[in-house]
Amino acid sequence: MTPRGESSWADRVTATWAAASAGAATVLWIAVWWHQQHTHGTTSVNEMKLALGLTWMDSGKVLPLAFLLLAPGVALVTNRAGEARVQAAFVTGRVVLASLVALAVSTVLEFWPFRWGSYAETFESRGGLVLVGGFLQAVCSAVVAVALIVLGFVSRRTVVLPVWLALALAAGFAGTFFITPVFLVPAVAWLVFALWLWPDRPWPRRSVSN
């Protein structure tokens, strides 16, 4: 095992990739936030406007990619839990990963059936998989949020994922419930996650007894 405070070249590369992916997810979420502010509006009233020739359902189609871009960071945390022999954290990390994939799939079902650049159909008129996807999106977001909190607490002795960061990420995923209009809370949480993942940062990455 790598001594405390040190990291191998492979670990730094993996951490860099995970941090960059989380950063990309942050950028995507901010782009969706900007677009939906101009198309859906800032209240619960759907204004059905176009921005860049796209509806707010169209910008929602990139959200599955944003969710999947968080997977490398979660996978890295999960692997570190395995290295630290914290079985509960390792299992919980896998639950988070599986829930992230399910969240991405449900969001595809929710937004991709709509035609590009058209408000001819709504969630109510479309029904079917769109409504199922919306329900599953909410459920999966809740599962990810709860699993992240559990992951933070079961790994607190090794700092595989600090409790404060787990709570921040959970709040971010709770914010993904409210897709219309999109909130900036997830972007803030994911940016902090990206900075925490970055190798050689000043914050302690982990504290594992050899």
Side-chain angles (χ1 to χ4, degrees), residues 181-197:
V182 166
F183 292 149
L184 272 178
V185 174
V188 174
W190 299 350
L191 178 59
V192 173
F193 187 44
L195 293 174
W196 183 83
L197 287 167

Side-chain angles (χ1 to χ4, degrees), residues 156-193:
R156 63 187 182 277
R157 292 184 179 179
T158 57
V159 200
V160 169
L161 183 70
V163 173
W164 65 266
L165 181 53
L167 293 173
L169 289 172
F173 277 99
T176 65
F177 289 156
F178 307 98
I179 298 298
T180 52
V182 166
F183 292 149
L184 272 178
V185 174
V188 174
W190 299 350
L191 178 59
V192 173
F193 187 44

Side-chain angles (χ1 to χ4, degrees), residues 48-112:
M48 293 189 179
K49 296 179 179 179
L50 294 177
L52 306 177
L54 301 173
T55 68
W56 63 267
M57 289 98 83
D58 293 333
S59 58
K61 292 173 182 176
V62 306
L63 292 178
L65 177 58
F67 295 140
L68 291 177
L69 284 170
L70 296 169
V74 176
L76 178 59
V77 170
T78 302
N79 288 338
R80 287 176 177 167
E83 293 174 1
R85 298 180 181 178
V86 184
Q87 189 63 22
F90 181 74
V91 172
T92 307
R94 291 202 163 192
V95 171
V96 176
L97 279 173
S99 301
L100 270 179
V101 174
L103 177 58
V105 171
S106 65
T107 312
V108 168
L109 296 177
E110 184 179 9
F111 289 107
W112 276 87

Side-chain angles (χ1 to χ4, degrees), residues 1 33 39-40 46 62 75 78 87 92 97 118 128 136 158 168 180 185 195 199 201 205 207 210:
M1 182 176 294
W33 170 82
T39 52
H40 183 284
N46 185 1
V62 306
T78 302
Q87 189 63 22
T92 307
L97 279 173
S118 173
L136 291 177
T158 57
T180 52
V185 174
L195 293 174
R201 56 175 172 70
R205 181 163 53 225
S207 176
N210 291 321

